[in-house]
C-alpha cells in the first residue's frame, strides 16, 4: 500500500551511521522516539503518538522509497542523493553526518595511460571526470573501496571521507574534495502537497533545532 494514502506520516530512516544522529535530531525536535529503537532489528516501527511510521531502510534505497511514495519523507546523505538522482523534493539540510566526497589515491600516484577509478558512486565519479574531459574506466564496488588502489584494481578511488582515518591507516591521500556531504530531509512530491501541514511543521521544528545546534558549535 502506498504511504501517500495512509494517515501516518511514513518516514524512511537510514539504518547505520546516519540513524543515531537523525534520531537524536528528531528527539530534540520533540518526537518521542524510544531509545530501544536504536538497536532494534524491526524494519517498520510505528510511533502512533507522533502520527508517524519509520521504515528502516538501507541508506541507498531511501530516495527510491520516497520517489515511489511508499515513504512520504526520508533522511538521506547528499552523496546518495547525487548518485541516485531521484525525482524527490530536497526540503532541508539537516547538518548531520558531515563528510565529503573526494578523489583519493596513493601518495606516489602518477597519471596512467588507462586510468581506472573504483567507487560506490559510479554516476558521481563518471560526471566528475567527464566534466574535466578526462577519460577513465569507472569500476563499481560495494564497500572497502580503499582496497582498490592498494591491490592494483584501480589507480584512484572516489569515496566519502569523514575523519580521514581509513585513508591514513591505508597510506592513501585525498587528491581533491569534490563536494561536501550532510544528510538531507527529502519528500515525495505528492505527499508534500497532500500532507503539507505536517511535513512543513516537522521541517520548522527541525530547522529550529538545527539553527540552535549551529549556534552552540
Ligand atoms: C565509509 C567510506 C570510507 C570511510 C570513511 O565506509 O566508504 O571507507 O567510511 O570514513 P573515515 O574517513 O572516518 O575513515 P563505510 O564505513 O561506510 O564502509 P564501507 O567500506 O563498507 O563502504
Amino acid at each position: 500500500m502506498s504511504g501517500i494514502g495512509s494517515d501516518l506520516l511514513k518516514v524512511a530512516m537510514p539504518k547505520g551511521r546516519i540513524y543515531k544522529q537523525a534520531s537524536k535530531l528528531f528527539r530534540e525536535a520533540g518526537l518521542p522516539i524510544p531509545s530501544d529503537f536504536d538497536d532494534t532489528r524491526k524494519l517498520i516501527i510505528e510511533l502512533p503518538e507522533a502520527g508517524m511510521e519509520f521504515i528502516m531502510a538501507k541508506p541507498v534505497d531511501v530516495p527510491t522509497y520516497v520517489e515511489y511514495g511508499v515513504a512520504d519523507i526520508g533522511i538521506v546523505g547528499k552523496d546518495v542523493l547525487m548518485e541516485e538522482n531521484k525525482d524527490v523534493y530536497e526540503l532541508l539540510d539537516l547538518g548531520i553526518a558531515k563528510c565529503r566526497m573526494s578523489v583519493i589515491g596513493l601518495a606516489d600516484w602518477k597519471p596512467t595511460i588507462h586510468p581506472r577509478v573504483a567507487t560506490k558512486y559510479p554516476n558521481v565519479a563518471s560526471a566528475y571526470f567527464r566534466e574535466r574531459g578526462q577519460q577513465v574506466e569507472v569500476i563499481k564496488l560495494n564497500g572497502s573501496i580503499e582496497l582498490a588502489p592498494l591491490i592494483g584494481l584501480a589507480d584512484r578511488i572516489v569515496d566519502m571521507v569523514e575523519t580521514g582515518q581509513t585513508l591514513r591507516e591505508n597510506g592513501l591521500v585525498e587528491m581533491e574534495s569534490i563536494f561536501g556531504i550532510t544528510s538531507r530531509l527529502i519528500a515525495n512530491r505528492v505527499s508534500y502537497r497532500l500532507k503539507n501541514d505536517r511535513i512543513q511543521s516537522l521541517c520548522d521544528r527541525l530547522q529550529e533545532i538545527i539553527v540552535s545546534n549551529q549556534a552552540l558549535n
Side-chain angles (χ1 to χ4, degrees):
M1 194 187 78
S2 161
I4 295 165
S6 156
D7 202 37
L8 292 174
L9 191 67
K10 299 201 174 192
V11 186
M13 284 292 263
K15 293 191 286 186
R17 68 163 75 206
I18 300 176
Y19 176 78
K20 281 221 159 80
Q21 293 182 55
S23 58
K24 179 171 175 276
L25 193 64
F26 271 38
R27 285 188 184 106
E28 288 170 340
L31 295 167
I33 305 176
S35 58
D36 57 352
F37 281 12
D38 293 358
D39 302 312
T40 184
R41 301 288 294 173
K42 265 189 84 141
L43 296 173
I44 299 177
I45 300 173
E46 280 200 12
L47 257 176
E49 325 82 270
M52 284 185 179
E53 181 175 277
F54 285 180
I55 296 162
M56 305 304 288
K58 199 172 157 71
V60 70
D61 293 330
V62 166
T64 303
Y65 297 136
V66 173
E67 183 183 51
Y68 277 87
V70 292
D72 299 301
I73 59 175
I75 294 179
V76 63
K78 186 69 179 175
D79 53 328
V80 172
L81 269 187
M82 298 285 281
E83 178 64 22
E84 296 296 312
N85 200 22
K86 300 288 187 191
D87 185 22
V88 294
Y89 284 134
E90 186 179 325
L91 299 180
L92 196 58
D93 181 347
L94 299 173
I96 56 171
K98 275 197 184 120
C99 52
R100 55 197 183 272
M101 184 70 70
S102 297
V103 182
I104 293 153
L106 287 166
D108 61 357
W109 178 84
K110 289 189 186 62
T112 54
I113 298 173
H114 300 293
R116 291 199 304 224
V117 174
T119 186
K120 257 192 292 198
Y121 305 91
N123 294 327
V124 167
S126 299
Y128 172 82
F129 288 105
R130 198 171 45 243
E131 278 161 21
R132 279 152 190 79
Q134 295 177 31
Q135 277 211 326
V136 302
E137 180 183 352
V138 172
I139 301 172
K140 165 88 197 285
L141 292 177
N142 295 298
S144 302
I145 312 300
E146 291 82 358
L147 269 176
L150 302 179
I151 58 178
L153 176 64
D155 55 288
R156 281 166 295 174
I157 62 174
V158 167
D159 199 18
M160 258 172 52
V161 179
E162 189 177 3
T163 61
Q165 185 182 351
T166 313
L167 299 189
R168 283 191 297 278
E169 290 193 9
N170 291 289
L172 296 166
V173 294
E174 206 173 345
M175 301 165 79
E176 192 178 348
S177 167
I178 307 179
F179 56 83
I181 299 169
T182 46
S183 298
R184 310 297 162 109
L185 185 73
I186 59 171
N188 173 273
R189 291 186 181 277
V190 177
S191 299
Y192 187 66
R193 275 193 281 115
L194 297 183
K195 300 185 180 180
N196 188 268
D197 288 356
R198 288 158 72 192
I199 294 175
Q200 203 48 57
S201 98
L202 176 65
C203 276
D204 293 345
R205 272 188 286 168
L206 289 170
Q207 181 73 56
E208 267 177 46
I209 302 299
I210 294 162
V211 169
S212 75
N213 284 350
Q214 276 165 353
L216 290 174
N217 290 329

